[in-house]
Amino acid sequence: MTFQQLLFIGFAALVLGGGIAVVLLRNPLYGAFALITSFVGLSALYVMMGAQFIGAAQIVVYAGAIMMLFVFVIMLLNVRADEERPPRHRFLVWLAAPLALLLSAGLWLAVAGVQGDRAPSGEAGTVERVGKNLMTRYLLPFELTSVLILLAVVGALHLAKREKE
Amino acid sequence: MTTFLASFLASALSWAAQQASDPSLMERYLQGLKEVDASKFLVLSAIIFSIGLGGVLIRRNIIVIFMSVELMLSAANLNFIAFARYWQTQGSLYAYNGHVMTIFVIVVAAAEAALGLGLLLALYRNRETIAADEINLLKW
């Protein structure tokens, strides 16, 4: 077992553990913290695949900005932990387990045979390379995303604004 | 309805058993576990996506549903980066398309989070709840 494999298994376990905790933890605030942990692991995986800039953006934008928004709203709404409520259709649990097994087997089969990446090259997704792409071939979509963000900001402001009586 | 579901389930399970008994397919299943290459990241991404999908389906709290959607978006990002890695090793001219696409996904996720949480605030102010099954104004 190589060092790279150990790193992969460790970070993958971090990501999966965080993801499972998001789904299973009853308190949304703990779920948000678990999701931040998961995103940190994901960022490490990006760096393992030579995407340094994406890894940094993942930490700054996802784990920093977006999750801060989530935690802020959770605390603002003062959300209680979900109380126990019995599921409405108990037999669906027995249907769900084999279907989930089937889904995972199908997904695994679809992607497991992919070859490639046997000899990692020295190239990496640095800011320079990604930025060059962003500013030449993808200039129009890049500018459109700034319009999208402006729209989202105005829309969110309008939605969250308290209406005057 | 129940008999239809049962027959569908039985055929699906028999298909899965048939798949599993094929030795060359088992070889393909296990291949991804030997080395850290693109397929491992794809398998991990599939698992993350399934976890997110499960969260969307079983949770009632809208905030948790949102976070599960973020998890699914991250799984897609991981796929983009894995394939970008693959094309890098092939020396492709378009090796960084995956990185650019990931940036776009992150941006759209940020916009979606801002708008969604704004909607959530307005909803909570009007209905005093954020449980997905108690919001049924548009349900007949």
Side-chain angles (χ1 to χ4, degrees):
Chain A
M1 182 167 291
T2 61
F3 184 56
Q4 200 192 11
Q5 274 176 320
L6 277 180
L7 280 181
F8 176 80
I9 290 170
F11 287 125
L14 198 65
V15 173
L16 289 181
I20 290 171
V22 170
V23 175
L24 293 186
L25 282 180
R26 197 152 289 149
N27 190 334
L29 192 59
Y30 295 161
F33 290 144
L35 193 57
I36 292 174
T37 315
S38 174
F39 282 156
V40 170
L42 261 178
S43 149
L45 288 177
Y46 290 155
V47 174
M48 271 185 74
M49 276 187 288
Q52 283 94 332
F53 175 61
I54 304 294
Q58 173 87 9
I59 292 275
V60 173
V61 178
Y62 251 125
I66 297 182
M67 290 318 294
M68 187 278 292
L69 210 60
F70 271 96
V71 171
F72 194 72
V73 168
I74 290 171
M75 290 181 169
L76 198 65
L77 295 190
N78 195 14
V79 184
R80 311 168 305 284
D82 287 357
E83 61 267 33
E84 287 267 19
R85 273 186 289 182
R88 283 191 198 146
H89 307 293
R90 192 163 287 279
F91 73 97
L92 281 180
V93 175
W94 299 104
L95 194 64
L99 282 181
L101 205 66
L102 201 67
L103 174 70
S104 53
L107 283 174
W108 190 298
L109 180 69
V111 300
V114 176
Q115 306 274 328
D117 196 17
R118 285 297 145 86
S121 62
E123 294 221 340
T126 54
V127 180
E128 186 196 345
R129 291 205 180 89
V130 178
K132 208 174 269 175
N133 265 295
L134 213 52
M135 286 297 163
T136 54
R137 192 182 292 137
Y138 295 101
L139 185 60
L140 181 64
F142 179 69
E143 296 296 339
L144 284 180
T145 53
S146 45
V147 177
L148 176 75
I149 289 183
L150 184 65
L151 283 176
V153 167
V154 174
L157 262 179
H158 177 74
L159 285 171
K161 175 184 72 175
R162 197 172 285 278
E163 276 159 45
K164 292 190 197 84
E165 295 299 325
Chain B
M1 179 65 187
T2 317
T3 54
F4 167 74
L5 279 177
S7 68
F8 170 75
L9 202 63
S11 60
L13 280 178
S14 73
W15 176 82
Q18 189 193 346
Q19 294 286 308
S21 61
D22 191 340
S24 69
L25 279 169
M26 277 314 282
E27 190 71 20
R28 275 182 65 196
Y29 277 121
L30 295 176
Q31 205 164 25
L33 292 176
K34 285 175 193 157
E35 268 180 79
V36 181
D37 57 5
S39 69
K40 257 192 177 171
F41 288 95
L42 297 187
V43 169
L44 178 67
S45 152
I47 298 173
I48 298 170
F49 188 88
S50 306
I51 291 173
L53 184 63
V56 169
L57 290 179
I58 68 175
R59 291 304 299 261
R60 296 193 178 95
N61 191 322
I62 298 183
I63 292 183
V64 179
I65 291 177
F66 257 126
M67 292 198 286
S68 302
V69 170
E70 300 288 338
L71 216 54
M72 288 159 81
L73 287 175
S74 292
N77 279 349
L78 199 60
N79 251 351
F80 274 125
I81 297 292
F83 279 111
R85 182 73 179 146
Y86 174 73
W87 287 115
Q88 264 175 40
T89 58
Q90 304 293 309
S92 166
L93 192 60
Y94 300 108
Y96 297 101
N97 284 12
H99 294 213
V100 175
M101 200 58 77
T102 305
I103 290 176
F104 287 147
V105 171
I106 290 178
V107 168
V108 172
E112 172 243 337
L115 265 185
L117 293 174
L119 269 176
L120 216 58
L121 281 178
L123 190 66
Y124 187 77
R125 203 174 295 137
N126 288 325
R127 303 291 309 262
E128 298 281 315
T129 178
I130 53 162
D133 56 342
E134 287 173 17
I135 299 157
N136 49 12
L137 267 178
L138 289 180
K139 219 170 167 183
W140 51 278

